[in-house]
Amino acid sequence: MASNGCILTISFLAFSFFVALASDQNPIQDFCVADNGTTVLLNGLTCKDPKQVVADDFSFGGLHIAANTSNALGCQVTPVTPSEMPGLNTLGISIVRIDYAPRGINPLHTHPRASEILIVLEGSLEVGFITSFPENRHIGKVLQKGDAFVFPVGLVHYQRNPGPTNAVAIAALSSQNPGVIIVANAVFGSTPNISSDILEKSFQINKQVIGYLQTKF
Ligand SMILES: *[C@@H]1O[C@H](CO)[C@@H](O)[C@H](O)[C@H]1NC(C)=O
Ligand SMILES: *[C@@H]1O[C@H](CO)[C@@H](O)[C@H](O)[C@H]1NC(C)=O
Ligand SMILES: *[C@@H]1O[C@H](CO)[C@@H](O)[C@H](O)[C@H]1NC(C)=O
């Protein structure tokens, strides 16, 4: 373990004694179709009576539908999680459709619980992620229709449509509940907000700029 200013850099060796679980835990029965009506809180969702389960619980129709990308980012995500497909509960996977307007972006974000594998269905996409070790290396490339790319669990990543036409991607994630932390919103738009003294030193910029960014998110 090395200390770099105030930031702890934990060496790779320190991790070699852990078994990393790359996705949600395995189910211990055929399935546990989510009972959408329940308010019981547990790690996952409670199961429907298996006798009441129907094929539609394992299905979602709608990924052919283009989402409305008329927003500041020019991007819209259509998620398919147990809310939309109850049969996903406990299976450790989920899927999304992502629509991008020309020059639309899916901004810098991270999924704390999932790796993400994305395939471009229409248009092209500039994609990338930032490594944590041994430095903050930016790994990115431009994808064409039919190309796939994987974003490793937890790493900050983005997609941008550089083209003059719409782009569409499908992405599968290794959790039924990947979580999403959009960097700008988390840092400048948290509730309650992060003190500007902390943001000023973290980003090495003055309070006015911090105040401006806080009003944007
Ligand atoms: C798309 O969203 C914008 C902004 O919310 C809205 O003004 C517009 O009517 C929507 N378009 C369609 C086709 O729903
Ligand atoms: C589950 O409940 C939510 C919230 O009531 C609803 O939006 C969603 O459509 C329901 N999902 C299914 C598959 O019934
Ligand atoms: C951030 O929070 C503090 C205290 O809660 C408040 O005084 C300040 O106006 C807030 N700043 C912004 C930009 O919302």
Side-chain angles (χ1 to χ4, degrees):
M1 202 168 329
S3 185
N4 168 13
C6 225
I7 302 161
L8 277 185
T9 312
I10 299 167
S11 77
F12 181 72
L13 261 186
F15 285 118
S16 61
F17 302 104
F18 293 93
V19 175
L21 288 174
S23 63
D24 298 347
Q25 289 184 24
N26 289 332
I28 52 174
Q29 48 204 0
D30 278 357
F31 50 73
C32 167
V33 172
D35 177 358
N36 207 22
T38 184
T39 52
V40 176
L41 299 179
L42 45 74
N43 188 19
L45 299 161
T46 54
C47 313
K48 228 170 139 171
D49 177 351
K51 293 198 189 70
Q52 305 298 318
V53 164
V54 294
D56 279 351
D57 289 328
F58 301 92
S59 160
F60 175 83
L63 288 181
H64 61 297
I65 299 168
N68 185 344
T69 55
S70 299
N71 54 52
L73 298 170
C75 176
Q76 190 70 55
V77 175
T78 305
V80 182
T81 67
S83 301
E84 294 78 23
M85 186 192 276
L88 282 180
N89 189 39
T90 74
L91 297 187
I93 52 171
S94 55
I95 192 168
V96 297
R97 171 185 170 125
I98 316 173
D99 286 279
Y100 310 83
R103 277 164 281 284
I105 65 157
N106 190 3
L108 291 166
H109 66 280
T110 159
H111 303 293
R113 292 177 290 279
S115 293
E116 170 178 352
I117 185 160
L118 172 148
I119 180 165
V120 180
L121 296 189
E122 295 296 337
S124 63
L125 280 184
E126 189 183 332
V127 301
F129 63 84
I130 315 300
T131 67
S132 72
F133 182 85
E135 74 257 306
N136 290 137
R137 182 164 163 220
H138 179 189
I139 295 181
K141 68 173 291 185
V142 176
L143 306 178
Q144 306 300 335
K145 179 173 177 168
D147 291 348
F149 193 84
V150 66
F151 303 100
V153 59
L155 300 189
V156 171
H157 61 281
Y158 65 87
Q159 299 113 32
R160 173 178 181 267
N161 174 10
T165 58
N166 289 342
V168 181
I170 294 281
L173 297 114
S174 60
S175 169
Q176 70 174 52
N177 184 19
V180 58
I181 299 168
I182 299 171
V183 177
N185 299 44
V187 171
F188 298 109
S190 67
T191 309
N193 62 28
I194 302 173
S195 133
S196 53
D197 289 340
I198 293 173
L199 293 175
E200 220 186 323
K201 278 218 169 63
S202 300
F203 289 90
Q204 301 286 305
I205 50 179
N206 67 44
K207 273 204 171 66
Q208 285 67 40
V209 179
I210 296 292
Y212 172 75
L213 288 170
Q214 283 178 327
T215 63
K216 293 293 265 186
F217 297 98

mmCIF file of all heavy atoms in Angstrom, residues 34-37 56-57 59-60 81-86, ligand 2:
data_model
loop_
_atom_site.group_PDB
_atom_site.id
_atom_site.type_symbol
_atom_site.label_atom_id
_atom_site.label_comp_id
_atom_site.label_asym_id
_atom_site.label_seq_id
_atom_site.Cartn_x
_atom_site.Cartn_y
_atom_site.Cartn_z
ATOM 1 N N ALA A 34 -39.888 -12.241 -10.061
ATOM 2 C CA ALA A 34 -40.211 -11.192 -9.097
ATOM 3 C C ALA A 34 -41.713 -11.034 -8.920
ATOM 4 O O ALA A 34 -42.461 -10.998 -9.895
ATOM 5 C CB ALA A 34 -39.595 -9.876 -9.558
ATOM 6 N N ASP A 35 -42.112 -10.975 -7.658
ATOM 7 C CA ASP A 35 -43.501 -10.667 -7.328
ATOM 8 C C ASP A 35 -43.583 -9.153 -7.228
ATOM 9 O O ASP A 35 -43.159 -8.561 -6.246
ATOM 10 C CB ASP A 35 -43.848 -11.329 -5.985
ATOM 11 C CG ASP A 35 -45.250 -10.992 -5.533
ATOM 12 O OD1 ASP A 35 -45.937 -10.226 -6.235
ATOM 13 O OD2 ASP A 35 -45.657 -11.494 -4.470
ATOM 14 N N ASN A 36 -44.126 -8.551 -8.267
ATOM 15 C CA ASN A 36 -44.097 -7.095 -8.386
ATOM 16 C C ASN A 36 -44.938 -6.391 -7.327
ATOM 17 O O ASN A 36 -44.769 -5.215 -7.098
ATOM 18 C CB ASN A 36 -44.579 -6.698 -9.802
ATOM 19 C CG ASN A 36 -44.002 -5.390 -10.253
ATOM 20 O OD1 ASN A 36 -42.977 -4.947 -9.763
ATOM 21 N ND2 ASN A 36 -44.664 -4.745 -11.196
ATOM 22 N N GLY A 37 -45.837 -7.146 -6.677
ATOM 23 C CA GLY A 37 -46.766 -6.504 -5.757
ATOM 24 C C GLY A 37 -46.202 -6.301 -4.356
ATOM 25 O O GLY A 37 -46.692 -5.481 -3.602
ATOM 26 N N ASP A 56 -44.729 -14.816 -20.199
ATOM 27 C CA ASP A 56 -44.539 -13.370 -20.302
ATOM 28 C C ASP A 56 -43.645 -12.818 -19.183
ATOM 29 O O ASP A 56 -43.062 -11.749 -19.334
ATOM 30 C CB ASP A 56 -45.896 -12.642 -20.282
ATOM 31 C CG ASP A 56 -46.567 -12.675 -21.656
ATOM 32 O OD1 ASP A 56 -45.897 -13.096 -22.632
ATOM 33 O OD2 ASP A 56 -47.744 -12.282 -21.748
ATOM 34 N N ASP A 57 -43.545 -13.559 -18.066
ATOM 35 C CA ASP A 57 -42.656 -13.108 -16.987
ATOM 36 C C ASP A 57 -41.195 -13.111 -17.441
ATOM 37 O O ASP A 57 -40.359 -12.413 -16.869
ATOM 38 C CB ASP A 57 -42.788 -14.027 -15.762
ATOM 39 C CG ASP A 57 -44.118 -13.853 -15.047
ATOM 40 O OD1 ASP A 57 -44.656 -12.734 -15.052
ATOM 41 O OD2 ASP A 57 -44.618 -14.846 -14.473
ATOM 42 N N SER A 59 -40.236 -12.385 -20.565
ATOM 43 C CA SER A 59 -40.221 -11.731 -21.871
ATOM 44 C C SER A 59 -40.431 -10.225 -21.721
ATOM 45 O O SER A 59 -41.051 -9.757 -20.758
ATOM 46 C CB SER A 59 -41.338 -12.361 -22.713
ATOM 47 O OG SER A 59 -41.695 -11.539 -23.778
ATOM 48 N N PHE A 60 -39.888 -9.476 -22.652
ATOM 49 C CA PHE A 60 -40.128 -8.035 -22.711
ATOM 50 C C PHE A 60 -40.194 -7.649 -24.178
ATOM 51 O O PHE A 60 -39.242 -7.905 -24.929
ATOM 52 C CB PHE A 60 -38.994 -7.262 -22.011
ATOM 53 C CG PHE A 60 -39.125 -5.764 -22.135
ATOM 54 C CD1 PHE A 60 -39.938 -5.037 -21.267
ATOM 55 C CD2 PHE A 60 -38.434 -5.065 -23.124
ATOM 56 C CE1 PHE A 60 -40.066 -3.658 -21.384
ATOM 57 C CE2 PHE A 60 -38.550 -3.682 -23.241
ATOM 58 C CZ PHE A 60 -39.368 -2.977 -22.377
ATOM 59 N N THR A 81 -35.011 -4.487 -16.566
ATOM 60 C CA THR A 81 -34.608 -5.034 -15.264
ATOM 61 C C THR A 81 -35.795 -5.862 -14.751
ATOM 62 O O THR A 81 -36.791 -5.981 -15.478
ATOM 63 C CB THR A 81 -34.297 -3.881 -14.288
ATOM 64 O OG1 THR A 81 -35.518 -3.191 -14.006
ATOM 65 C CG2 THR A 81 -33.288 -2.899 -14.866
ATOM 66 N N PRO A 82 -35.741 -6.398 -13.544
ATOM 67 C CA PRO A 82 -36.897 -7.175 -13.066
ATOM 68 C C PRO A 82 -38.214 -6.381 -13.043
ATOM 69 O O PRO A 82 -39.282 -6.988 -13.079
ATOM 70 C CB PRO A 82 -36.471 -7.620 -11.664
ATOM 71 C CG PRO A 82 -34.988 -7.739 -11.773
ATOM 72 C CD PRO A 82 -34.588 -6.565 -12.637
ATOM 73 N N SER A 83 -38.164 -5.048 -13.018
ATOM 74 C CA SER A 83 -39.411 -4.265 -13.081
ATOM 75 C C SER A 83 -40.113 -4.478 -14.402
ATOM 76 O O SER A 83 -41.342 -4.479 -14.476
ATOM 77 C CB SER A 83 -39.146 -2.771 -12.944
ATOM 78 O OG SER A 83 -38.526 -2.488 -11.751
ATOM 79 N N GLU A 84 -39.308 -4.606 -15.460
ATOM 80 C CA GLU A 84 -39.890 -4.772 -16.797
ATOM 81 C C GLU A 84 -39.997 -6.253 -17.179
ATOM 82 O O GLU A 84 -40.848 -6.618 -17.981
ATOM 83 C CB GLU A 84 -39.023 -4.056 -17.842
ATOM 84 C CG GLU A 84 -38.983 -2.529 -17.707
ATOM 85 C CD GLU A 84 -38.056 -2.034 -16.601
ATOM 86 O OE1 GLU A 84 -37.122 -2.784 -16.216
ATOM 87 O OE2 GLU A 84 -38.281 -0.918 -16.101
ATOM 88 N N MET A 85 -39.080 -7.070 -16.657
ATOM 89 C CA MET A 85 -39.037 -8.509 -16.974
ATOM 90 C C MET A 85 -38.828 -9.246 -15.657
ATOM 91 O O MET A 85 -37.692 -9.509 -15.243
ATOM 92 C CB MET A 85 -37.873 -8.782 -17.946
ATOM 93 C CG MET A 85 -37.816 -10.209 -18.450
ATOM 94 S SD MET A 85 -36.256 -10.541 -19.304
ATOM 95 C CE MET A 85 -36.584 -9.937 -20.940
ATOM 96 N N PRO A 86 -39.916 -9.590 -14.944
ATOM 97 C CA PRO A 86 -39.799 -10.144 -13.587
ATOM 98 C C PRO A 86 -38.924 -11.397 -13.502
ATOM 99 O O PRO A 86 -38.302 -11.663 -12.480
ATOM 100 C CB PRO A 86 -41.249 -10.461 -13.215
ATOM 101 C CG PRO A 86 -42.084 -9.603 -14.109
ATOM 102 C CD PRO A 86 -41.318 -9.423 -15.381
HETATM 103 C C1 LIG B 2 -44.036 -3.506 -11.755
HETATM 104 O O1 LIG B 2 -44.478 -2.412 -10.997
HETATM 105 C C2 LIG B 2 -44.068 -1.154 -11.489
HETATM 106 C C3 LIG B 2 -44.486 -0.100 -10.496
HETATM 107 O O2 LIG B 2 -45.829 -0.285 -10.096
HETATM 108 C C4 LIG B 2 -44.661 -0.954 -12.884
HETATM 109 O O3 LIG B 2 -44.238 0.287 -13.405
HETATM 110 C C5 LIG B 2 -44.189 -2.074 -13.792
HETATM 111 O O4 LIG B 2 -44.795 -1.955 -15.065
HETATM 112 C C6 LIG B 2 -44.540 -3.410 -13.186
HETATM 113 N N1 LIG B 2 -43.903 -4.440 -13.998
HETATM 114 C C7 LIG B 2 -44.561 -5.508 -14.439
HETATM 115 C C8 LIG B 2 -43.765 -6.449 -15.269
HETATM 116 O O5 LIG B 2 -45.741 -5.709 -14.188
#
